Amino acid sequence: MPMLLLPLSVAALTAVYYLGRWLMSGTAGRLPSPALAPAPGSMRGKTVIVTGANSGIGRATAGVLARMQARVILACRDPAAAEEAAREMRQQDRGDGAASGEVLVRQLDLASLASVRSFCQRVVEEEQRLDVLINNAGIFQCPYMKTEDGFEMQFGVNHLGHFLLTNLLLDLLKRSAPSRVVVVSSKLYKYGEINFDDLNSEKSYNKCFGYSRSKLANILFTRELAKRLDGTGVTVNVLHPGIVRTNLGRHISIPLLGQPIFKFMSWAFFKTPEQGAETSVYLATSPEVEGVSGEYFGDCKQEELLPKGMDDAVAKMLWDESAKMVGLNSPL
C-alpha cells in the first residue's frame, strides 16, 4: 500500500508547495486589472510580431493587441494552428463595433536558423515598419534533443533562436523608433547557470536546469541588448508571466494518481493565459514604460533580479558566444 501511495504523496506535496507559494505571492486567482484593459485603437498603425502566438500566453497577447487594432504578425512553427488562432482573432468582438487589427501568419521555426533567417528576410522585404517584437515562444523541460543546427533544444529555441531573430530585425526596429522588444523569461531563471564549458549540454543535461539556464540567458541577453541599443530609440525589457495554465508543460509527466490534484491546482490557482499575458501587453503598449530599457518586470511592475541576472561580464560573454553559435558575422 505505501508503494502505491508514493506517487500520490509526491504529487500532493508538490501541489501543496506551489499552492502555498502562490497564495503567499498574493496573485492567486487574481483577475485582470481594469487598468490594463486594452484602449480602443491605441495600437492603430503599429506592427507587432509575437512568436509562439498560436497558443497560450502568445495567443492571448496577440489577441489583446489585435483588439487594440495593432497589425499583428503571428510567428509560429505550425502554420495550420496559427491560421486557426488568426481566424478567431479576426472574428473577436472589440465591444465597440469596430474591427480588430489585421492579423497575419508567418511561419517561424526557432529550432532552425535557416527558418529564422527566411522569416526575417520576408519581414524586412514586406514590412515598412516594426514597432514591437515580442519574443514569447519557448519549450519547457523537454528530454534531451537537438535543434536542426545541433543545439540543445531549450537553449537553441528559447535563447539562440530569439537571439538571431532579434538581431536580424534590429535595423527595421531602429527605422521604426520609438520601438520596443519584449522578452518573456521565467522566475525559474534563479536555478540556472551559464556554463561556458558546456553551453550545448553535451557533457551533462538536466531538463529542469536546462530550462532555467535558457531563461537566465533571456535575461542576460536583454541587459546586454539594452546597453547596445542605448540612444537608438529602441527599448528592450524582460518579464516573468507567473505560473500560467498553458500547454508549455507537455513534456512533464504527472503520476496518474496525482493528475486530479494537479488539474485542480491548475484551474483553481494558476493564471489564465490572458492574465499571464498582461505584463507582455503592458511592456508592449504602456506609455508608463516609454524609454525604460534593460529592466525585469512581473505583474506589470519592475522587480529586482538576483546577482546572476545582473552579471554584465557574463552577459557580454554570452552575447559573443551566441553570435558565434548562430553565425552572426556582424552582431550589434
Side-chain angles (χ1 to χ4, degrees):
M1 183 64 69
M3 291 300 292
L4 292 175
L5 292 176
L6 181 58
L8 178 59
S9 300
V10 172
L13 288 172
T14 302
V16 169
Y17 168 77
Y18 280 112
L19 173 58
R21 290 285 299 273
W22 198 239
L23 290 172
M24 286 188 294
S25 72
T27 55
R30 184 174 60 81
L31 295 175
S33 168
L36 296 177
S42 59
M43 290 292 285
R44 187 183 296 116
K46 295 188 177 182
T47 297
V48 182
I49 292 175
V50 185
T51 68
N54 61 285
S55 65
I57 296 172
R59 184 170 182 162
T61 300
V64 173
L65 293 169
R67 289 198 297 276
M68 299 171 79
Q69 294 191 305
R71 184 170 186 271
V72 184
I73 298 174
L74 313 186
C76 304
R77 181 178 57 85
D78 184 345
E83 286 291 356
E84 179 184 349
R87 280 194 297 271
E88 291 185 8
M89 292 177 201
R90 294 172 188 133
Q91 296 168 1
Q92 63 189 349
D93 182 10
R94 277 173 26 95
D96 59 2
S100 294
E102 185 179 8
V103 181
L104 301 92
V105 171
R106 299 289 182 264
Q107 185 170 21
L108 170 65
D109 183 357
L110 289 161
S112 164
L113 298 183
S115 176
V116 174
R117 292 182 183 278
S118 176
F119 171 86
C120 292
Q121 182 177 353
R122 183 174 181 182
V123 168
V124 170
E125 290 175 352
E126 295 181 352
E127 301 301 325
Q128 297 298 311
R129 62 183 302 109
L130 176 58
D131 299 275
V132 184
L133 170 63
I134 302 180
N135 291 339
N136 166 85
I139 188 167
F140 180 71
Q141 296 190 9
C142 62
Y144 187 80
M145 58 182 77
K146 291 187 176 182
T147 68
E148 178 180 288
D149 303 279
F151 305 126
E152 185 275 310
M153 186 64 71
Q154 294 189 92
F155 191 71
V157 169
N158 299 352
H159 170 60
L160 290 175
H162 282 121
F163 175 87
L164 180 61
L165 175 77
T166 306
N167 271 281
L168 294 180
L169 294 177
L170 279 179
D171 284 345
L172 183 57
L173 283 161
K174 289 176 183 177
R175 292 199 301 271
S176 309
S179 54
R180 305 181 184 189
V181 178
V182 178
V183 180
V184 179
S185 182
S186 166
K187 275 190 173 182
L188 293 176
Y189 84 89
K190 63 183 67 175
Y191 304 109
E193 300 292 341
I194 304 298
N195 179 5
F196 289 103
D197 293 327
D198 192 24
L199 278 179
N200 213 32
S201 298
E202 293 177 331
K203 298 178 182 177
S204 65
Y205 178 71
N206 177 288
K207 64 181 183 180
C208 299
F209 293 137
Y211 178 76
S212 296
R213 181 186 62 161
S214 72
K215 296 291 101 178
L216 175 58
N218 290 158
I219 291 170
L220 295 172
F221 163 68
T222 298
R223 289 182 61 85
E224 179 66 18
L225 180 59
K227 281 185 172 184
R228 293 169 180 250
L229 289 175
D230 186 37
T232 65
V234 184
T235 60
V236 54
N237 290 290
V238 62
L239 68 102
H240 74 80
I243 306 176
V244 185
R245 281 197 310 270
T246 70
N247 65 354
L248 193 63
R250 59 189 177 275
H251 293 292
I252 296 178
S253 177
I254 305 294
L256 183 62
L257 292 175
Q259 289 180 10
I261 297 175
F262 183 81
K263 287 180 180 178
F264 168 76
M265 286 286 299
S266 172
W267 285 103
F269 301 108
F270 290 10
K271 289 182 180 180
T272 65
E274 289 72 25
Q275 291 169 337
E278 284 185 355
T279 307
S280 293
V281 174
Y282 173 76
L283 291 176
T285 67
S286 175
E288 293 180 3
V289 291
E290 185 173 349
V292 176
S293 194
E295 302 298 339
Y296 175 67
F297 287 79
D299 290 326
C300 304
K301 295 176 293 188
Q302 193 171 323
E303 295 188 2
E304 292 294 324
L305 285 164
L306 294 178
K308 69 170 64 179
M310 299 186 291
D311 192 325
D312 291 339
V314 172
K316 172 65 166 59
M317 286 183 62
L318 179 63
W319 182 286
D320 292 342
E321 288 301 316
S322 300
K324 292 176 186 176
M325 293 174 81
V326 303
L328 197 62
N329 296 323
S330 301
L332 176 73

